[in-house]
């Protein structure tokens, strides 16, 4: 039994190195894509070579072409840029948003944060305006006045009303969690323009509840710790205690969750592109390339290259996520 | 011995009583890629709806697919034509004496008059019919024969006679039992202004028609066609059963346009081409019309499929084209449109997307129509240098920054310069359009013109085009060899309806109006050639190529009459050849 432990550790280290190596290679391809001397640019159809297999005679397409004549190699390399740009961007933003909202909800709960009534008026007016309800301009004016009153009035406003942060965040996560993510994203993608920015916004909007729940749960434990009580006893402002003392500790579980979240977002982006409702066709994407195999079922290279890249990237991210969390890999 | 005999007899009896189906009795299963969505005879949103309605109702004249000419259907012979003055044509029809509605009521001239008037009643979804059949100004009955009538038509164009008989006749007794439309003159209904005060009788009739909800329940009115709809599983299957006693069965010999061979016609809806090909090879469907060329080639290459299937190709009347939104300031200038037209590569696109089976064209007229086709025009080809020259001529300047190249134009002094960027829309999931879009985008990018491709879901595609939310769109234009009426797509009066480009000049309007009214084939040909030259000059549309019509069907099926005319086969004429097959 004792002898197997070092072997397990060595295997884990080897697996970790392999996963990191693969992810580094993908990141390097994404970063260096425009500098590489590629024979064909992405999204540029070669109408003389449609659905050509790799290394076909008379063709300079090393990995073949898709049914529209796009070079698979160029699509793969620039697809890595899209995967890294969109999925990583969405994962970072969703994690940051989730951490802030979950951390605030766990720290202040439903009664910890109190604001004067002009702030409520400002929020109500802004919400009214954002929903474009009747009288939206008046609501915007009201929101502006409320904001000015909050900023200028200071402690003059007397009674402050609590903001039910915890209930709000939990309600929003429950609402977003009640609908399958793919369905929600498909519905949102139908209303927003299919630009990379729009897709990023949709992915962030649907991915923040996971980190938020994690950080909220951790924050509930952290706020009971003596060092937080000590900071409060010293008379430090609540916001400072939250930001400097509590939040960094509450965010620790995100180190494990982040690679898994990235993997799921990468899969989601590829699924959307595969279904043809993700990015526009001129934006290279592994999922889109995989989707072109539907019109050319015999073109194995359209499945092998993007499918393999997706599989290895998601496996590497999952491995890293599990290696950090509890379980045998650790 | 006796026992053995008895057992043998019993076996013979059981076998003979067991379910036997002849191939002839088997339904013919035809593949559709789209659900008809509506079976209202006035609203035919797609080809599936047109095909379905043609099984339920009949026209006065129908295309005989064996001769590719119009032949009498509800009419007993081709109409007699008389010219009145220099602007009217009198077309006299006589209905078949045996023609009846379900239930036995005869089809009479009153039904024809009712249908023509119904197509002009305000408040009904009849805009397309109104525009198409507005040239029929009056109907005159023969007091001695309830089946004889004369249509008074505006114009003396050669194609007018066929067009005057190409609409589905609906039963007056079912939709207007009190004959409330009879007092109205067809011409008066035609001329009725959209702003005219509401007429209570017409409003009531429109309400009654809407209540019938024929879009979903076509069986609520009797038909004169050979089939009735017995099952409609939305987006899955439509089953039509042949009427056991159809009036045309008594005709000897049966005219080809009134053939109704299959006892049952199943239309199986499979939008995905790979699944459709699989269904064809499995035998779940017997006819696969308009097979995408790539799939067609794949089937042809398979030895097993060749044993099982027959393959037919012909040149269709489906034109693949690009349209410009001429209402956009950047595209309101014809030189800009011409320049962008030179960024398409029709020849390479035809080869790439249709395996070279279709045909490139210089205009909207079919290249096989040698009389009317403007063969003096050079074919459009990819020519970036010419595009650059035309853009400069249109006032555009190429500017470059460290990271970007773009084209700008100063529309008016002291206004910010306008930048040339294009949003291209096409129906999502269409590989051919995606290839065209990518080719155009790549050619434009080489010049520094930013192009954004926006594949749009089917339902939102039409509404986006109607709303003018595009710069360029890629689409299919379905045509036929009989009529040359470009008003619905290019006349300034139809801007906001069928004219998606927003194009229309007094000169083009005059020409479009004159073409259907031309008295002789030669004068029409002159006008059509002039029209094609004008369109090349103005370029609201870039005609790319006509698609091929590829059809794959079970080898045992005959009388398909494959051809370029929609739907590319004659569903009701199809027959099984193999005489008898027992199905245990």
């Amino acid at each position: 039994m004792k002898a197997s432990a070092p072997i397990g550790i060595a295997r884990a280290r080897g697996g970790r190195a392999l996963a990191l190596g693969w992810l580094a290679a993908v990141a390097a391809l994404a970063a260096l894509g425009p500098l590489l001397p590629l024979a064909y640019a992405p999204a540029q159809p070669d109408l003389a070579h449609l659905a050509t297999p790799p290394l076909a005679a008379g063709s300079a397409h090393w990995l073949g072409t898709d049914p529209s004549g796009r070079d698979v190699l160029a699509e793969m390399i620039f697809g890595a840029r899209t995967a890294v740009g969109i999925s990583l961007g969405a994962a970072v933003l969703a994690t940051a948003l989730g951490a802030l909202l979950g951390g605030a909800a766990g720290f202040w709960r439903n009664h910890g944060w109190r604001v004067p009534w002009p702030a409520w008026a400002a929020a109500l007016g802004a919400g009214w305006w954002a929903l474009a309800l009747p009288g939206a301009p008046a609501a915007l004016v009201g929101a502006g006045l409320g904001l000015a009153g909050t900023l200028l009035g200071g402690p003059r406003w007397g009674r402050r009303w609590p903001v039910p942060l915890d209930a709000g965040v939990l309600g929003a996560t429950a609402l977003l969690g009640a609908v399958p993510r793919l369905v929600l994203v498909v519905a949102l993608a139908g209303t927003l323009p299919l630009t990379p920015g729009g897709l990023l916004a949709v992915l962030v909007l649907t991915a923040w509840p996971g980190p938020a729940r994690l950080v909220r749960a951790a924050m509930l434990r952290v706020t009971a710790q003596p060092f937080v009580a000590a900071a409060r006893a010293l008379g430090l402002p609540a916001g400072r205690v939250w930001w400097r003392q509590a939040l960094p500790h509450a965010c620790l579980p995100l180190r494990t969750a982040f690679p898994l979240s990235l993997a799921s977002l990468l899969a989601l982006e590829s699924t959307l592109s595969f279904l043809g409702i993700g990015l526009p066709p001129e934006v290279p994407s592994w999922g889109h390339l995989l989707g072109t195999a539907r019109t050319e079922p015999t073109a194995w290279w359209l499945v092998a290259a993007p499918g393999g890249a997706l599989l290895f990237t998601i496996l590497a991210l999952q491995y890293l996520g599990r290696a950090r969390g509890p379980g045998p890999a650790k | 011995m006796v026992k053995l005999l008895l057992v043998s007899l019993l076996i013979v009896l059981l076998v003979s009583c067991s379910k036997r189906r002849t191939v002839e009795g088997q339904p013919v299963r035809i593949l559709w890629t789209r659900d008809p969505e509506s079976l209202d005879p006035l609203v035919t949103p797609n080809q599936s709806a047109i095909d379905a309605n043609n099984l339920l109702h009949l026209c006065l004249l129908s295309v005989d697919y064996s001769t590719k000419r119009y032949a009498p259907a509800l009419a007993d012979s081709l109409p007699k034509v008389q010219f009145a003055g220099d602007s009217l044509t009198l077309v006299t029809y006589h209905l078949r004496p045996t023609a009846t509605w379900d239930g036995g009521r005869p089809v009479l001239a009153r039904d024809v008059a009712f249908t023509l008037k119904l197509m002009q009643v305000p408040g009904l979804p009849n805009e397309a019919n109104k525009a198409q059949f507005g040239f029929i100004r009056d109907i005159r009955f023969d007091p001695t024969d309830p089946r004889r009538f004369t249509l008074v038509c505006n114009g003396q164009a050669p194609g007018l006679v066929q067009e005057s008989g190409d609409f589905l006749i609906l039963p007056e007794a079912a939709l207007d039992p009190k004959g409330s439309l009879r007092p109205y003159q067809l011409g008066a209904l035609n001329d009725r202004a959209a702003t005219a005060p509401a007429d209570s009788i017409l409003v009531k009739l429109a309400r009654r028609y809407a209540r019938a909800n024929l879009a979903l329940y076509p069986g609520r009115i009797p038909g004169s066609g050979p089939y009735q709809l017995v099952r409609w599983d939305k987006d899955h299957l439509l089953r039509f059963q042949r009427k056991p006693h159809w009036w045309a069965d008594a005709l000897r010999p049966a005219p080809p346009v009134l053939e109704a061979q299959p006892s049952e016609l199943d239309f199986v809806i499979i939008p995905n081409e790979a699944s459709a090909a699989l269904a064809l090879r499995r035998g779940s469907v017997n006819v696969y019309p308009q097979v995408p060329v790539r799939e067609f080639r794949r089937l042809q290459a398979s030895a097993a499929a060749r044993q099982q299937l027959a393959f037919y190709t012909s040149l269709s009347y489906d034109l693949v084209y690009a349209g410009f939104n001429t209402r956009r300031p950047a595209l309101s200038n014809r030189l800009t449109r011409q320049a962008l037209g030179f960024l398409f590569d029709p020849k390479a696109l035809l080869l790439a997307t249709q395996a070279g089976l279709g045909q490139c064209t210089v205009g909207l007229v079919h290249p096989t129509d040698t009389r009317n086709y403007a063969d003096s025009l050079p074919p459009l080809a990819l020519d970036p240098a010419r595009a650059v020259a035309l853009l400069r001529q249109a006032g555009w300047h190429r500017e470059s920054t460290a990271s970007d190249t773009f084209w700008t134009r100063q529309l008016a002094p002291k206004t910010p310069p306008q930048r040339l960027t294009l949003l291209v829309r096409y129906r999502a999931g269409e590989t051919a359009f995606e290839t065209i879009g990518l080719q155009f985008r790549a050619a434009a990018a080489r010049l520094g013109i930013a192009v954004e491709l926006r594949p749009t879901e089917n339902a939102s595609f039409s509404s986006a085009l109607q709303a003018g939310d595009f710069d360029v769109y890629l689409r299919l234009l379905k045509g036929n060899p009989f009529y040359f009426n470009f008003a619905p797509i290019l006349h300034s009066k139809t801007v906001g309806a069928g004219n998606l480009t927003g194009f229309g000049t007094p000169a083009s309007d005059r020409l479009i109006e004159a073409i259907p009214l031309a008295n002789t084939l030669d004068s029409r040909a002159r006008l059509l050639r002039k029209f094609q030259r004008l369109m090349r000059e103005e370029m609201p549309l870039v005609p790319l190529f006509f698609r091929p019509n590829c059809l794959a069907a079970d080898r045992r099926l005959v009388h398909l009459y494959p051809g370029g005319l929609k739907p590319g086969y004659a569903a009701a004429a199809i027959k099984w050849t193999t005489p008898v097959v027992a199905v245990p």
Side-chain angles (χ1 to χ4, degrees), chain A residues 42-45 47-48 50-51 66-70 190 193-195 276 279-282 288 292 294-298, chain B residues 272-274 294-295 298 345 348-349 351-353 426 428-429 431 434-435 438-442 446 451-455:
Chain A
Q44 190 180 329
L47 297 180
L50 299 185
D66 77 352
S68 288
R70 282 171 291 198
L194 299 172
T195 56
L279 295 162
E282 68 265 26
H288 189 266
T292 60
R294 281 181 300 181
T295 54
E296 201 62 55
T298 52
Chain B
N272 181 276
E273 55 194 63
R294 196 171 286 140
E295 199 58 58
R298 208 174 291 135
D345 191 349
L349 286 170
L351 203 63
T353 63
Y426 55 89
T431 314
E434 184 170 301
T435 307
L438 285 168
Q439 183 273 313
F440 177 71
R441 185 184 170 276
R446 273 184 223 115
V451 173
E452 186 192 336
L453 300 182
R454 187 79 62 85

Coordinates of all heavy atoms in Angstrom, one line a residue, chain A residues 42-45 47-48 50-51 66-70 190 193-195 276 279-282 288 292 294-298, chain B residues 272-274 294-295 298 345 348-349 351-353 426 428-429 431 434-435 438-442 446 451-455:
Chain A
P42 N -8.7 32.5 -42.1 CA -10.0 31.9 -41.6 C -11.1 32.6 -42.4 O -11.0 33.7 -42.9 CB -10.0 32.2 -40.1 CG -9.1 33.4 -40.0 CD -8.1 33.3 -41.0
A43 N -12.2 31.9 -42.5 CA -13.5 32.4 -43.1 C -13.3 32.8 -44.6 O -14.0 33.6 -45.1 CB -14.1 33.5 -42.3
Q44 N -12.3 32.2 -45.2 CA -12.0 32.5 -46.6 C -12.3 31.2 -47.4 O -11.5 30.3 -47.3 CB -10.6 33.0 -46.8 CG -10.4 33.6 -48.2 CD -8.9 34.1 -48.3 OE1 -8.3 34.5 -47.4 NE2 -8.4 34.0 -49.5
P45 N -13.4 31.2 -48.2 CA -13.7 29.9 -48.8 C -12.8 29.7 -50.1 O -12.5 30.6 -50.8 CB -15.1 30.1 -49.2 CG -15.3 31.5 -49.4 CD -14.4 32.2 -48.4
L47 N -13.2 28.0 -53.2 CA -14.4 27.4 -53.9 C -13.9 26.2 -54.8 O -14.8 25.4 -55.2 CB -15.1 28.4 -54.8 CG -15.8 29.5 -54.0 CD1 -16.5 30.5 -54.9 CD2 -16.7 29.0 -52.9
A48 N -12.7 26.1 -55.0 CA -12.2 24.9 -55.8 C -12.0 23.7 -55.0 O -11.8 22.6 -55.5 CB -10.9 25.3 -56.5
L50 N -13.9 22.1 -52.0 CA -15.0 22.0 -50.9 C -14.9 20.6 -50.3 O -14.8 19.6 -51.1 CB -16.4 22.2 -51.5 CG -16.6 23.6 -52.2 CD1 -18.1 23.6 -52.7 CD2 -16.3 24.7 -51.3
A51 N -15.0 20.6 -49.0 CA -15.0 19.3 -48.3 C -13.8 18.4 -48.8 O -14.0 17.2 -49.0 CB -16.3 18.6 -48.4
D66 N -13.8 22.5 -45.1 CA -15.2 22.2 -44.7 C -16.1 22.3 -46.0 O -15.6 22.7 -47.1 CB -15.6 23.1 -43.6 CG -15.9 24.5 -44.0 OD1 -15.7 24.9 -45.2 OD2 -16.4 25.3 -43.2
P67 N -17.4 22.1 -45.9 CA -18.2 22.1 -47.1 C -18.3 23.5 -47.7 O -18.8 23.6 -48.9 CB -19.6 21.7 -46.5 CG -19.3 20.9 -45.3 CD -18.1 21.5 -44.7
S68 N -17.9 24.5 -47.0 CA -17.9 25.9 -47.7 C -16.6 26.2 -48.2 O -16.3 27.4 -48.6 CB -18.4 26.9 -46.7 OG -19.8 26.8 -46.4
G69 N -15.6 25.3 -48.1 CA -14.3 25.6 -48.6 C -13.3 26.3 -47.6 O -12.2 26.7 -48.0
R70 N -13.7 26.4 -46.4 CA -12.8 27.0 -45.4 C -11.7 26.1 -45.0 O -12.0 24.9 -44.8 CB -13.6 27.5 -44.2 CG -14.4 28.8 -44.4 CD -15.3 29.1 -43.3 NE -16.4 28.1 -43.3 CZ -17.5 28.3 -42.6 NH1 -17.7 29.4 -42.0 NH2 -18.5 27.4 -42.6
G190 N -31.7 34.2 -29.2 CA -32.7 34.6 -30.2 C -33.1 36.0 -30.1 O -33.6 36.6 -31.1
P193 N -28.4 40.2 -30.7 CA -27.6 40.0 -31.9 C -26.5 39.0 -31.7 O -25.9 39.0 -30.6 CB -27.1 41.3 -32.3 CG -27.5 42.3 -31.2 CD -28.3 41.6 -30.3
L194 N -26.2 38.2 -32.7 CA -25.2 37.1 -32.5 C -23.8 37.6 -32.7 O -23.1 37.2 -33.6 CB -25.6 35.9 -33.4 CG -26.9 35.3 -33.2 CD1 -27.2 34.3 -34.3 CD2 -26.9 34.6 -31.8
T195 N -23.4 38.6 -31.9 CA -22.0 39.1 -32.1 C -21.2 38.4 -30.9 O -21.8 37.9 -30.0 CB -22.0 40.6 -31.9 OG1 -22.6 40.9 -30.6 CG2 -22.7 41.3 -33.0
G276 N -25.7 26.2 -34.7 CA -25.8 27.3 -35.7 C -26.5 28.5 -35.1 O -27.0 29.4 -35.8
L279 N -22.1 32.0 -32.7 CA -21.3 33.1 -33.4 C -21.7 33.1 -34.9 O -22.0 32.1 -35.5 CB -19.8 32.8 -33.2 CG -19.4 32.9 -31.8 CD1 -18.0 32.3 -31.6 CD2 -19.3 34.4 -31.3
P280 N -21.5 34.3 -35.5 CA -21.7 34.3 -37.0 C -20.7 33.5 -37.7 O -19.6 33.2 -37.2 CB -21.6 35.8 -37.3 CG -21.0 36.4 -36.2 CD -21.2 35.6 -35.0
P281 N -21.0 33.1 -39.0 CA -20.1 32.1 -39.6 C -18.7 32.6 -39.9 O -17.8 31.8 -40.2 CB -20.9 31.8 -40.9 CG -21.9 32.8 -41.1 CD -22.2 33.4 -39.7
E282 N -18.6 34.0 -39.9 CA -17.2 34.5 -40.2 C -16.3 34.4 -39.0 O -15.1 34.6 -39.2 CB -17.3 35.9 -40.8 CG -17.7 37.0 -39.8 CD -19.2 37.2 -39.9 OE1 -20.0 36.3 -40.3 OE2 -19.6 38.4 -39.5
H288 N -18.6 25.4 -34.5 CA -19.2 25.6 -35.9 C -18.6 24.7 -36.9 O -19.2 24.1 -37.7 CB -18.9 27.1 -36.3 CG -19.6 27.4 -37.5 ND1 -19.1 27.4 -38.8 CD2 -20.9 27.9 -37.7 CE1 -19.9 27.7 -39.7 NE2 -21.1 28.0 -39.1
T292 N -20.4 21.7 -39.3 CA -20.4 21.5 -40.7 C -20.4 20.1 -41.1 O -20.7 19.7 -42.3 CB -19.2 22.3 -41.4 OG1 -18.0 21.7 -40.9 CG2 -19.2 23.7 -41.1
R294 N -22.4 17.9 -40.3 CA -23.8 17.5 -40.5 C -24.1 17.4 -42.0 O -24.9 16.6 -42.4 CB -24.7 18.4 -39.8 CG -24.8 18.1 -38.3 CD -25.8 19.0 -37.6 NE -25.4 20.4 -37.8 CZ -26.1 21.4 -37.3 NH1 -27.2 21.2 -36.6 NH2 -25.7 22.7 -37.4
T295 N -23.6 18.4 -42.8 CA -23.9 18.4 -44.2 C -22.9 17.6 -45.0 O -23.1 17.4 -46.2 CB -23.9 19.9 -44.7 OG1 -22.6 20.4 -44.4 CG2 -25.0 20.7 -44.2
E296 N -21.9 17.1 -44.4 CA -20.9 16.2 -45.1 C -20.6 15.1 -44.1 O -19.5 15.0 -43.5 CB -19.7 17.1 -45.4 CG -18.8 16.6 -46.5 CD -19.5 16.5 -47.9 OE1 -20.0 17.5 -48.3 OE2 -19.5 15.4 -48.4
P297 N -21.5 14.2 -43.9 CA -21.3 13.1 -42.9 C -20.1 12.3 -43.1 O -19.6 11.7 -42.1 CB -22.6 12.3 -42.9 CG -23.5 13.1 -43.8 CD -22.8 14.0 -44.6
T298 N -19.6 12.2 -44.3 CA -18.4 11.3 -44.6 C -17.1 12.0 -44.3 O -16.1 11.4 -44.4 CB -18.4 10.8 -46.0 OG1 -18.6 11.9 -46.9 CG2 -19.6 9.8 -46.3
Chain B
N272 N -33.9 18.0 -42.3 CA -32.5 17.7 -42.4 C -32.2 16.8 -43.6 O -32.8 15.7 -43.7 CB -32.1 17.0 -41.1 CG -30.6 16.7 -41.1 OD1 -30.2 15.7 -41.6 ND2 -29.8 17.7 -40.6
E273 N -31.2 17.3 -44.4 CA -31.0 16.5 -45.6 C -30.3 15.2 -45.4 O -30.7 14.2 -46.2 CB -30.1 17.4 -46.6 CG -28.8 17.9 -46.0 CD -28.2 19.0 -46.9 OE1 -28.8 20.0 -47.0 OE2 -27.1 18.7 -47.4
A274 N -29.5 15.0 -44.4 CA -28.9 13.7 -44.2 C -30.0 12.7 -43.7 O -30.0 11.6 -44.2 CB -27.8 13.9 -43.1
R294 N -25.1 18.1 -53.2 CA -24.1 17.3 -52.6 C -24.6 16.0 -52.1 O -24.0 14.9 -52.4 CB -23.6 18.1 -51.3 CG -22.3 17.6 -50.8 CD -21.7 18.5 -49.8 NE -21.2 19.7 -50.3 CZ -21.3 20.9 -49.8 NH1 -22.0 21.0 -48.7 NH2 -20.8 22.0 -50.3
E295 N -25.8 16.0 -51.6 CA -26.5 14.8 -51.2 C -26.8 13.9 -52.4 O -26.7 12.7 -52.4 CB -27.7 15.1 -50.4 CG -28.3 14.0 -49.5 CD -27.2 13.5 -48.5 OE1 -26.8 14.4 -47.7 OE2 -26.9 12.3 -48.5
R298 N -23.8 12.2 -53.6 CA -23.4 11.1 -52.7 C -24.3 9.9 -52.9 O -23.8 8.8 -53.0 CB -23.6 11.6 -51.3 CG -22.7 10.9 -50.3 CD -22.8 11.6 -48.9 NE -22.3 12.9 -48.9 CZ -22.9 14.0 -48.3 NH1 -24.0 13.8 -47.8 NH2 -22.3 15.1 -48.3
D345 N -18.9 35.9 -57.4 CA -18.2 35.1 -58.4 C -19.2 34.0 -58.8 O -19.1 32.8 -58.3 CB -16.9 34.5 -57.8 CG -16.1 33.8 -58.9 OD1 -16.6 33.7 -60.0 OD2 -14.9 33.5 -58.6
A348 N -17.9 30.4 -60.1 CA -17.2 29.6 -59.1 C -18.3 29.1 -58.1 O -18.2 28.0 -57.6 CB -16.1 30.3 -58.5
L349 N -19.2 30.0 -57.8 CA -20.2 29.6 -56.8 C -21.1 28.5 -57.3 O -21.5 27.6 -56.6 CB -21.1 30.8 -56.4 CG -20.4 31.8 -55.5 CD1 -21.2 33.1 -55.4 CD2 -20.1 31.3 -54.1
L351 N -20.3 26.2 -59.5 CA -19.5 25.0 -59.5 C -19.4 24.5 -58.1 O -19.6 23.3 -57.8 CB -18.1 25.3 -60.1 CG -17.4 24.1 -60.6 CD1 -18.1 23.6 -61.8 CD2 -16.0 24.6 -61.0
A352 N -19.2 25.4 -57.1 CA -19.0 24.9 -55.7 C -20.3 24.5 -55.1 O -20.3 23.4 -54.4 CB -18.4 26.1 -54.9
T353 N -21.3 25.2 -55.3 CA -22.5 24.9 -54.5 C -23.5 23.9 -55.2 O -24.3 23.3 -54.6 CB -23.3 26.1 -54.1 OG1 -23.7 26.8 -55.3 CG2 -22.5 27.1 -53.3
Y426 N -29.2 35.9 -44.6 CA -29.7 34.8 -45.4 C -30.3 33.8 -44.4 O -30.1 33.9 -43.2 CB -28.6 34.1 -46.2 CG -27.3 33.7 -45.4 CD1 -27.3 32.4 -44.9 CD2 -26.3 34.6 -45.2 CE1 -26.2 32.1 -44.1 CE2 -25.2 34.2 -44.5 CZ -25.1 32.9 -43.9 OH -24.1 32.5 -43.2
A428 N -30.8 30.8 -42.1 CA -29.8 30.0 -41.4 C -30.0 28.5 -41.8 O -31.1 28.1 -42.1 CB -30.1 30.1 -39.9
G429 N -28.8 27.9 -41.8 CA -28.9 26.4 -42.1 C -28.7 26.1 -43.6 O -28.8 24.9 -44.0
T431 N -26.4 25.8 -46.5 CA -24.9 25.8 -46.8 C -24.6 26.6 -48.0 O -23.5 27.3 -48.0 CB -24.4 24.4 -46.9 OG1 -25.0 23.6 -45.9 CG2 -22.9 24.3 -46.9
E434 N -24.5 30.2 -47.2 CA -23.4 30.5 -46.4 C -22.1 30.6 -47.2 O -21.3 31.5 -47.0 CB -23.2 29.4 -45.3 CG -22.1 29.7 -44.3 CD -22.1 28.8 -43.1 OE1 -23.1 28.8 -42.4 OE2 -21.0 28.2 -42.9
T435 N -22.0 29.7 -48.2 CA -20.8 29.7 -49.1 C -20.8 31.0 -49.9 O -19.7 31.7 -50.0 CB -20.8 28.5 -50.0 OG1 -20.9 27.3 -49.2 CG2 -19.5 28.4 -50.8
L438 N -19.8 33.9 -47.6 CA -18.4 33.9 -47.3 C -17.6 34.3 -48.4 O -16.6 35.0 -48.3 CB -18.0 32.4 -46.8 CG -18.4 32.0 -45.4 CD1 -18.2 30.5 -45.2 CD2 -17.6 32.8 -44.4
Q439 N -17.9 33.9 -49.7 CA -17.2 34.3 -50.8 C -17.3 35.9 -51.0 O -16.3 36.5 -51.2 CB -17.7 33.6 -52.1 CG -17.0 33.9 -53.4 CD -17.6 35.1 -54.1 OE1 -18.8 35.3 -54.2 NE2 -16.7 36.0 -54.5
F440 N -18.5 36.4 -50.9 CA -18.7 37.8 -51.0 C -17.9 38.6 -49.9 O -17.3 39.6 -50.2 CB -20.2 38.1 -50.9 CG -20.5 39.6 -50.9 CD1 -20.4 40.3 -52.1 CD2 -21.0 40.3 -49.8 CE1 -20.7 41.7 -52.2 CE2 -21.3 41.6 -49.9 CZ -21.1 42.3 -51.0
R441 N -18.0 38.0 -48.7 CA -17.3 38.7 -47.6 C -15.8 38.7 -47.8 O -15.1 39.7 -47.6 CB -17.6 38.0 -46.3 CG -17.0 38.6 -45.1 CD -17.3 37.8 -43.8 NE -16.5 38.4 -42.7 CZ -15.2 38.1 -42.5 NH1 -14.6 37.2 -43.3 NH2 -14.6 38.7 -41.5
A442 N -15.2 37.6 -48.3 CA -13.8 37.5 -48.5 C -13.4 38.5 -49.6 O -12.4 39.1 -49.5 CB -13.4 36.0 -48.9
R446 N -11.0 41.9 -49.0 CA -9.7 42.2 -49.8 C -9.7 43.7 -50.2 O -8.6 44.2 -50.3 CB -9.6 41.3 -51.0 CG -8.9 40.0 -50.6 CD -8.7 39.1 -51.8 NE -9.1 37.7 -51.5 CZ -10.1 37.1 -52.0 NH1 -10.8 37.6 -52.9 NH2 -10.4 35.8 -51.6
V451 N -17.9 43.3 -44.0 CA -19.2 42.6 -44.2 C -19.4 41.7 -43.0 O -18.6 40.9 -42.6 CB -19.1 41.7 -45.5 CG1 -20.4 40.9 -45.7 CG2 -18.9 42.6 -46.7
E452 N -20.6 41.9 -42.5 CA -21.0 41.0 -41.4 C -22.1 40.0 -41.9 O -23.1 40.5 -42.5 CB -21.6 41.8 -40.2 CG -21.9 41.0 -39.0 CD -22.8 41.8 -38.0 OE1 -22.7 43.0 -38.0 OE2 -23.5 41.1 -37.2
L453 N -21.9 38.7 -41.7 CA -22.9 37.8 -42.2 C -23.8 37.5 -41.0 O -23.4 37.3 -39.9 CB -22.2 36.4 -42.6 CG -21.2 36.5 -43.7 CD1 -20.6 35.2 -44.0 CD2 -21.8 37.1 -45.0
R454 N -25.1 37.5 -41.3 CA -26.1 37.3 -40.2 C -27.1 36.2 -40.7 O -28.1 36.5 -41.2 CB -26.8 38.6 -40.0 CG -27.7 38.6 -38.8 CD -27.1 38.7 -37.4 NE -26.3 39.9 -37.2 CZ -26.9 41.1 -36.8 NH1 -28.1 41.2 -36.6 NH2 -26.1 42.1 -36.6
P455 N -26.7 34.9 -40.5 CA -27.7 33.9 -40.9 C -28.9 34.0 -39.9 O -28.7 34.2 -38.7 CB -27.0 32.5 -40.6 CG -25.8 32.9 -39.8 CD -25.5 34.3 -40.0

